[in-house]
Amino acid sequence: MPRVIPIIMILVSGVIGCSQAGPATAPVDGVVSYKGKPVPFAKVTFIPHDDSGGSIGIGQTDAEGKFTKVVTAGLTGNGAVVGSHNVTVTESWPPDKPIPVDDMGQQKSPPRGPWSQKYRDSANPALKVEIVAGQDNHFEFDLSK
Amino acid sequence: MKRKCGGFTLVELLVVIAIIGVLVGLLLPAVQAAREAARRMQCSNNLKQLGLAMHNYHDIYKAFPIQYRINAIANQPLTQVSWILGFLPMMEQSNLYNQWSHNFSWNTGVNGFQADPRTGPDITNPREGSNAWLLGRGLSFLQCPSDTSPAVGGVALGSRQINFAGATGNVKIGITNYKAVLGANWDYGSIQVTTGSWGRSRFCGDYATLPADVKAQYPFRCPTGFMGRGNDFQGIPTRMRDITDGTSNSLMLGESSFSQNALSSWFWFNGVLATAAFPINRRAECAGGIGRSLVAGWEACWNDWPNQQGFSSLHVGGSQFALCDASVHFISQNIDLATYRNLATIQGGEVVAEF
């Protein structure tokens, strides 16, 4: 009987090791605007600060400049990793139309939006947000400045 | 008692088998790694050959190959091609080069350029010797044997299927793993490097003052590195004397995994350039690539070139580069990004740290 105890301990420790969950996430939505007008079909990227070790989250605004879903690794629904993030807003193509291509079939880059370079730059981002656990995180990004 | 000779006891046999087992266990992973080491060496040899061929080209033409050229005269042939095409004779591919007709477009003649009559009726199955057929050739010296990523469309390594404008179906194109260094500047997607010595090009003024049409193609028309098209569509070549940072302090060619970028076609001007604005082996940054491994992410985002026209490889931990003096170096993906970008410029005037 005493021989069995270590074996059980090893098995139990294995179960504990397997049940470890990924980083905590929280739902995110928001609006992107430039000088009072919505910014349609922009890609909003949430880049967690390095120490949190989480995945980036990507959302895309609709025709009204709203994004309701942020895609993050290991998460089927809407959400981003909890903690502080840098946010970049870059152009993208509308999801429901064919993307224009050049002679070679390579997708063209989307036309440049009017907002400043500092909102695109992932190295020196102008937008910084904190995503809090256990609540809906709503952000209103104004790219006018 | 007379002892029997020449036999082994069971214990002795077991001990010997155990020792052999341990030795084989040590050896096997080493052998597998040796295979990758051999592939990497062949890959670096390809880069060395390309670097030496660049120098041969410079000896003959007094300039490195041009990257892109649009003939300014209306209804004149378009030669919107890559540096690799003009460079083929240096790699003993004169036959391929001589077959190529600069009088015709390679496609079905979209955008007002004349179609190649040698192609035949079906561009998805072009006749041998036509431009469209030639561009489908996979060239072994342009392929890194470590890069085993499946080509889009599932065709054989060294080529991939694409669907270009004017074609009804897929066309085979030959791919390259080796791309010329565009510089350290970039302004698409979420990487913005437009100022300082990394962003200042010998072809253009300050980024803030550029006209909109130049800005839309900023990194290509205002390259800060070894290869770019220059700012007037005439394909201004780089000469040895332009590399004022020194040939042993400037990057010339690097590796790019073809799962990473939409079009690594060797004959196409956008398929043969990459920038050091991106860190080496940068993760994919499109929604479809999230949560995947590095290479699977690249494959999922293969069309997202604004966020992944950097250098990458399937070697562990970095990528190989040829400097402008044709020496080949392995550069770790953990290199200080500033040092890496300093290396990429040819006229930056930076003091390059040890790498």
Side-chain angles (χ1 to χ4, degrees):
Chain A
M1 192 60 192
R3 276 192 186 175
V4 180
I5 293 170
I7 295 172
I8 291 173
M9 283 172 72
I10 288 166
L11 288 175
V12 167
S13 67
V15 171
I16 292 170
C18 291
S19 65
Q20 199 177 11
T25 56
V28 179
D29 61 33
V31 187
V32 184
S33 65
Y34 175 79
K35 297 201 170 155
K37 288 181 184 160
V39 175
F41 309 120
K43 182 172 120 180
V44 186
T45 310
F46 291 83
I47 306 161
H49 290 177
D50 285 341
D51 46 3
S52 73
S55 155
I56 59 167
I58 295 181
Q60 194 187 27
T61 61
D62 58 14
E64 280 91 54
K66 290 176 191 155
F67 62 98
T68 52
K69 189 184 174 189
V70 171
V71 184
T72 299
L75 195 70
T76 46
N78 166 33
V81 178
V82 166
S84 43
H85 290 249
N86 295 335
V87 179
T88 63
V89 181
T90 52
E91 298 82 358
S92 67
W93 292 104
D96 49 346
K97 285 183 192 152
I99 295 172
V101 293
D102 68 9
D103 292 358
M104 192 64 188
Q106 185 174 19
Q107 292 185 359
K108 291 188 174 174
S109 66
R112 227 173 155 71
W115 60 94
S116 160
Q117 205 179 1
K118 64 186 174 184
Y119 298 112
R120 309 165 202 274
D121 190 357
S122 54
N124 287 303
L127 300 172
K128 288 181 179 156
V129 297
E130 187 76 29
I131 291 174
V132 186
Q135 66 172 69
D136 282 355
N137 292 271
H138 181 79
F139 300 109
E140 292 188 1
F141 297 124
D142 181 9
L143 311 182
S144 306
K145 281 179 234 93
Chain B
M1 196 173 108
K2 195 179 170 192
R3 198 165 180 268
K4 265 196 242 167
C5 294
F8 297 106
T9 66
L10 184 64
V11 173
E12 281 169 340
L13 275 175
L14 286 176
V15 166
V16 168
I17 290 169
I19 291 172
I20 291 173
V22 168
L23 285 177
V24 170
L26 285 174
L27 194 64
L28 265 185
V31 168
Q32 295 302 317
R35 285 169 173 271
E36 166 53 21
R39 285 193 289 265
R40 194 174 64 224
M41 199 170 282
Q42 193 183 339
C43 191
S44 87
N45 181 48
N46 286 348
L47 263 176
K48 181 80 183 176
Q49 300 296 331
L50 290 170
L52 291 175
M54 280 281 190
H55 280 242
N56 282 344
Y57 189 102
H58 193 281
D59 284 349
I60 294 169
Y61 297 103
K62 308 294 174 219
F64 291 111
I66 58 167
Q67 159 61 18
Y68 180 91
R69 183 185 168 92
I70 281 186
N71 207 318
I73 308 158
N75 301 319
Q76 285 293 300
L78 164 92
T79 48
Q80 217 181 350
V81 291
S82 76
W83 57 268
I84 293 178
L85 187 71
F87 171 86
L88 285 172
M90 302 297 134
M91 295 303 289
E92 299 192 325
Q93 293 290 333
S94 303
N95 297 343
L96 206 162
Y97 180 76
N98 293 339
Q99 289 268 320
W100 189 281
S101 173
H102 289 274
N103 292 322
F104 303 119
S105 161
W106 44 269
N107 58 21
T108 50
V110 288
N111 294 350
F113 296 103
Q114 200 179 352
D116 184 357
R118 303 175 300 169
T119 308
D122 181 13
I123 189 142
T124 60
N125 187 18
R127 289 205 190 116
E128 198 168 321
S130 62
N131 283 1
W133 181 82
L134 291 167
L135 65 88
R137 303 304 95 201
L139 302 171
S140 60
F141 60 85
L142 294 175
Q143 288 155 33
C144 174
S146 299
D147 196 345
T148 53
S149 23
V152 174
V155 292
L157 188 68
S159 56
R160 79 185 343 167
Q161 305 269 23
I162 56 145
N163 194 334
F164 58 63
T168 48
N170 285 335
V171 177
K172 198 173 142 196
I173 58 168
I175 58 96
T176 178
N177 278 125
Y178 305 108
K179 301 193 177 179
V181 177
L182 186 56
N185 52 342
W186 193 254
D187 73 336
Y188 301 103
S190 62
I191 294 277
Q192 303 284 324
V193 184
T194 57
T195 52
S197 66
W198 301 333
R200 193 176 54 235
S201 168
R202 67 188 193 275
F203 300 114
C204 302
D206 210 26
Y207 179 76
T209 64
L210 293 177
D213 62 324
V214 178
K215 227 176 196 174
Q217 301 173 324
Y218 163 69
F220 303 105
R221 291 178 70 166
C222 308
T224 57
F226 174 73
M227 186 72 75
R229 70 172 77 149
N231 195 15
D232 66 350
F233 293 117
Q234 292 302 304
I236 301 167
T238 302
R239 292 162 209 274
M240 203 68 97
R241 60 147 193 259
D242 293 327
I243 307 171
T244 53
D245 277 357
T247 53
S248 58
N249 294 322
S250 303
L251 298 175
M252 177 160 72
L253 306 169
E255 279 186 78
S256 171
S257 167
F258 65 85
S259 53
Q260 186 206 19
N261 191 267
L263 297 168
S264 297
S265 166
W266 60 255
F267 91 100
W268 180 241
F269 59 95
N270 277 343
V272 295
L273 292 176
T275 173
F278 296 77
I280 300 169
N281 290 341
R282 184 181 190 237
R283 280 197 165 274
E285 204 190 273
C286 78
I290 280 187
R292 294 170 188 257
S293 70
L294 185 65
V295 177
W298 290 341
E299 269 162 25
C301 303
W302 67 283
N303 235 325
D304 186 25
W305 63 268
N307 282 308
Q308 46 187 29
Q309 194 145 2
F311 290 99
S312 59
S313 81
L314 268 61
H315 309 306
V316 177
S319 179
Q320 300 187 101
F321 288 86
L323 299 184
C324 290
D325 61 0
S327 62
V328 178
H329 298 257
F330 183 84
I331 297 185
S332 161
Q333 66 195 36
N334 299 322
I335 185 176
D336 177 38
L337 192 56
T339 305
Y340 177 52
R341 288 176 178 167
N342 289 345
L343 275 169
T345 59
I346 59 169
Q347 296 190 345
E350 309 98 340
V351 177
V352 176
E354 197 68 31
F355 65 93

